[in-house]
Amino acid sequence: MESAEKAGEGVRAVDRALDILMAFTATDHRLTAGELARRVDLSRPTLYRLLRTLEHKGFIVSSGEPQRFELGPSVANLAHVWGAGLDIATVAQPMMRRLWEATGETVSLLVHQGAIRTCVAELPSAQPLSFKRGVGYSTDVTLGASGRVILAHVASPEAYLGGEGARDRDLVAYLDRLRTIREQGFEISRDELIKGAVAMAVPYFGGDGQVKGSLAVFGPGVRVDEERVRAIVAVLKEEGERLSAALGYRAR
């Protein structure tokens, strides 16, 4: 009985220690003991006992007056180990499969690579009339729904606007469109890069909070009407959020 109680106490301590680590965010990376106590709902003695243990193991470091705590080098080491084995295309397979089953259309995973975005995984539609790009396909990140939804979330989109099609583009209107995309969380295009095609896309983010690419669904306009677009976008947003979470992103 006593050993079971001790085991239970150990599990609770681990659970509380993990709550402390998860209390930090990209925007709140240095917190006082009071701020931590409010976020994890722990008494000061329990909080300080766990903080000492975490600091001893390198998961927390403290400095300053008043004392503030932040994540330590052991967290960075775990992040490096995790990131070294991360394959976005593999991580995204469950999300892509659910999208493919729910929509019946071609599903593509694209990554942002400087001035372009590249398809790294694709599940082609099984229907006779369909569109696909193929793994390895890349084009200007300023073009198409799957490109603009990425560009809408970069720090300085203006830096990308000197490429293909720049002379034909109203830059003020284009930047306004990016703001709208950022607010609504998705982008739709019709007949833009492929005549007769409808493209719907959402962004996905990494653990550093930066946009990493887009998740897109492509289908023919004769089959993908406005009602279908709304339904597909709803599923896309859900799966995009799941992919971001799987990559370590935490929405602020």
Side-chain angles (χ1 to χ4, degrees):
M1 184 71 174
E2 185 178 346
S3 61
E5 289 179 355
K6 288 183 177 180
E9 291 174 1
V11 170
R12 284 195 295 274
V14 171
D15 192 50
R16 289 168 172 172
L18 291 174
D19 284 342
I20 292 171
L21 295 177
M22 296 300 289
F24 295 92
T25 69
T27 53
D28 292 319
H29 57 90
R30 299 187 73 239
L31 299 170
T32 65
E35 290 168 334
L36 280 168
R38 287 190 292 273
R39 293 186 181 202
V40 298
D41 192 26
L42 292 175
S43 67
R44 287 297 184 100
T46 299
L47 175 64
Y48 274 109
R49 185 173 68 252
L50 291 171
L51 284 172
R52 283 195 297 271
T53 300
L54 289 169
E55 190 163 17
H56 177 69
K57 294 294 185 178
F59 286 93
I60 292 287
V61 294
S62 62
S63 62
E65 185 61 44
Q67 188 179 35
R68 289 185 178 273
F69 300 89
E70 57 189 312
L71 298 178
S74 291
V75 175
N77 180 61
L78 288 180
H80 174 72
V81 173
W82 176 74
L86 185 64
D87 179 349
I88 292 177
T90 300
V91 173
Q93 280 302 305
M95 298 79 180
M96 295 179 68
R97 177 62 59 176
R98 284 191 294 266
L99 271 170
W100 186 82
E101 292 174 349
T103 66
E105 305 296 346
T106 296
V107 178
S108 296
L109 178 72
L110 302 103
V111 297
H112 183 204
Q113 299 175 318
I116 63 172
R117 87 310 195 146
T118 301
C119 178
V120 295
E122 187 170 81
L123 296 177
S125 171
Q127 303 191 62
L129 177 59
S130 62
F131 296 99
K132 62 181 181 179
R133 289 295 179 73
V135 173
Y137 170 84
S138 63
T139 192
D140 193 322
V141 73
T142 68
L143 303 174
S146 60
R148 284 190 298 275
V149 81
I150 295 171
L151 204 60
H153 293 86
V154 302
S156 301
E158 300 87 351
Y160 296 82
L161 300 182
E164 185 179 342
R167 286 174 296 182
D168 301 324
R169 187 180 293 138
D170 182 333
L171 296 185
V172 173
Y174 187 88
L175 291 173
D176 284 342
R177 183 170 183 174
L178 292 184
R179 279 189 285 273
T180 299
I181 295 168
R182 187 164 58 249
E183 291 169 1
Q184 66 189 17
F186 64 90
E187 172 65 324
I188 302 165
S189 66
R190 290 182 179 274
D191 302 312
E192 185 175 352
L193 296 178
I194 302 176
K195 188 67 175 176
V198 179
M200 298 141 283
V202 297
Y204 62 87
F205 304 88
D208 59 1
Q210 303 300 308
V211 65
K212 300 302 180 184
S214 58
L215 191 58
V217 173
F218 303 95
V222 294
R223 191 166 61 235
V224 184
D225 58 16
E226 289 302 322
E227 184 177 352
R228 286 274 293 144
V229 165
R230 288 192 294 272
I232 290 172
V233 165
V235 182
L236 256 175
K237 292 178 77 172
E238 289 179 3
E239 297 302 337
E241 290 172 0
R242 285 174 174 156
L243 176 55
S244 295
L247 294 174
Y249 176 69
R250 296 176 66 198
R252 292 189 283 274

